[in-house]
Amino acid sequence: MKKWLITVLVLTNTIIAQVTLSDINKLGNTQLDLIREELNPTSDSNSVTVIEEEIYNETSKDNLVQIEGSDELDPIYFGYNFFNKNINFFDNIPTPSNYKLGPGDEIILSLWGKTNLRKSLTISNEGLIYYENLGFISLSNLTLQEAELVLKNELSKIYSTLTDNKDQTDLMLELGSLKSINVYFTGQVDSPGIHIIHPFSNIMTAIVQAGGIKKEGSLRKIQLIRNNKVIETIDFYNFFIRGVNNFSDIKIIDGDVIYIPVLKNRIEVSGQISRPGYYEVLNDENIADLIHFSAGFTAYASSTLILTQIIPVEERSS
């Protein structure tokens, strides 16, 4: 198995004087220590280093290229913290206007005016409610506004004031208890398997409810699978870096599968960069994209780059 290590060094405008061997022999220990500090900068030095690592499968962590002598104890893997939230979604997500009613939903019917009543009704597995003196009424796959029109038309058969402009009765429909949906999570998710998800969830909030994504998981090729077909592939970098939300309108339904594949390429950026950390890159992206992901250079970074490719041991010539 081949492992490649590519280093890009962004220099500062600091000039280090050349010292000959004879000059070094004349120096004392204190002066030598100062030179060592100049020639061996710490992690706070004015440079940017980019390390590329490739992961070939989801079972072996040994494929990650390690950085010898790294002082980084808690590396920042960009984007994963967006999913590490502790939120009670069942109490915090408002009802979207396009939400479709379905089996298990509880609706609250209110009438006021000439007739006053308030009652709770639950939609059956067949998508029906039962109303006394009327029988079964189908409300499945209707929005709240559409269901209000259906109920107003049906209930006017026993409450004539619903259509009377003089002695009028008004009707309002609200959601009570909601049906949850079962979504399957596979791949590099912290808690794979089936999860009970809030019915208003999008792909991002669904992943949050499933516990987040492992560090080996891709944030840029997440798949929504329905009936064994990939219907959407989401790149969350568009949202994290550019603020482009192209996923919240994608409706998740009962039985969907969300698949988190293993990432293929990850690069570390450190030094004089605004947002140091590890970034996932796609095959068609370059260093300019990487610098954009990491929010650009600091004021101390030089415009000079040194690119060094480390050849795998098995390919080196003696």
Side-chain angles (χ1 to χ4, degrees), residues 77-119:
Y77 292 86
F78 178 75
Y80 293 89
N81 60 328
F82 282 83
F83 302 96
N84 298 329
K85 308 294 180 183
N86 186 16
I87 302 174
N88 187 349
F89 284 90
F90 282 85
D91 293 335
N92 287 282
I93 302 181
T95 305
S97 59
N98 61 348
Y99 177 72
K100 300 295 182 69
L101 297 172
D105 281 340
E106 178 191 33
I107 57 174
I108 300 173
L109 173 67
S110 299
L111 298 178
W112 71 95
K114 193 68 175 179
T115 302
N116 295 285
L117 67 82
R118 183 175 174 86
K119 66 167 55 183

Side-chain angles (χ1 to χ4, degrees), residues 45-277:
S45 64
N46 295 332
S47 65
V48 174
T49 305
V50 180
I51 309 293
E52 178 177 347
E53 47 181 302
E54 296 186 6
I55 301 177
Y56 292 88
N57 60 66
E58 60 184 280
T59 59
S60 174
K61 294 184 179 179
D62 294 334
N63 289 328
L64 293 176
V65 175
Q66 302 297 323
I67 307 168
E68 294 185 4
S70 174
D71 294 329
E72 191 74 45
L73 298 178
D74 187 20
I76 299 173
Y77 292 86
F78 178 75
Y80 293 89
N81 60 328
F82 282 83
F83 302 96
N84 298 329
K85 308 294 180 183
N86 186 16
I87 302 174
N88 187 349
F89 284 90
F90 282 85
D91 293 335
N92 287 282
I93 302 181
T95 305
S97 59
N98 61 348
Y99 177 72
K100 300 295 182 69
L101 297 172
D105 281 340
E106 178 191 33
I107 57 174
I108 300 173
L109 173 67
S110 299
L111 298 178
W112 71 95
K114 193 68 175 179
T115 302
N116 295 285
L117 67 82
R118 183 175 174 86
K119 66 167 55 183
S120 173
L121 301 161
T122 301
I123 299 176
S124 70
N125 290 335
E126 290 73 31
L128 307 171
I129 62 167
Y130 180 81
Y131 201 93
E132 57 189 15
N133 300 323
L134 280 177
F136 290 101
I137 303 172
S138 177
L139 298 179
S140 183
N141 207 34
L142 298 178
T143 65
L144 279 176
Q145 290 76 16
E146 292 168 342
E148 280 186 357
L149 294 175
V150 170
L151 287 175
K152 186 174 182 178
N153 181 62
E154 292 293 330
L155 268 61
S156 65
K157 298 174 183 177
I158 54 177
Y159 304 114
S160 60
T161 52
L162 281 171
T163 56
D164 191 332
N165 293 328
K166 293 182 179 180
D167 296 320
Q168 188 170 359
T169 296
D170 292 311
L171 181 150
M172 182 177 70
L173 202 60
E174 304 170 87
L175 274 177
S177 299
L178 296 169
K179 70 179 187 302
S180 57
I181 59 175
N182 297 312
V183 176
Y184 298 88
F185 292 83
T186 63
Q188 300 303 304
V189 65
D190 277 346
S191 181
I194 190 169
H195 285 266
I196 297 174
I197 299 301
H198 193 287
F200 302 162
S201 300
N202 55 48
I203 292 179
M204 183 174 185
T205 57
I207 294 172
V208 171
Q209 293 171 76
I213 299 175
K214 293 181 179 179
K215 297 298 187 295
E216 297 84 3
S218 172
L219 300 181
R220 310 196 61 187
K221 293 185 178 181
I222 296 174
Q223 298 177 357
L224 178 62
I225 302 172
R226 184 173 300 159
N227 298 325
N228 296 321
K229 294 181 180 180
V230 178
I231 63 170
E232 293 288 345
T233 300
I234 302 300
D235 181 351
F236 276 115
Y237 270 33
N238 286 328
F239 178 63
F240 298 154
I241 295 171
R242 303 177 181 92
V244 178
N245 183 346
N246 57 358
F247 58 85
S248 63
D249 290 335
I250 302 171
K251 183 176 177 59
I252 297 176
I253 65 175
D254 194 76
D256 278 351
V257 176
I258 294 178
Y259 171 62
I260 315 294
V262 180
L263 65 84
K264 296 299 182 182
N265 300 292
R266 172 180 280 154
I267 294 179
E268 181 192 9
V269 185
S270 62
Q272 294 305 314
I273 201 75
S274 297
R275 188 168 54 212

Side-chain angles (χ1 to χ4, degrees), residues 24-51:
I24 291 177
N25 291 332
K26 298 176 183 179
L27 297 174
N29 290 333
T30 301
Q31 293 170 303
L32 285 174
D33 288 339
L34 292 174
I35 292 176
R36 289 192 189 97
E37 290 180 4
E38 283 191 284
L39 296 178
N40 297 284
T42 65
S43 59
D44 294 328
S45 64
N46 295 332
S47 65
V48 174
T49 305
V50 180
I51 309 293

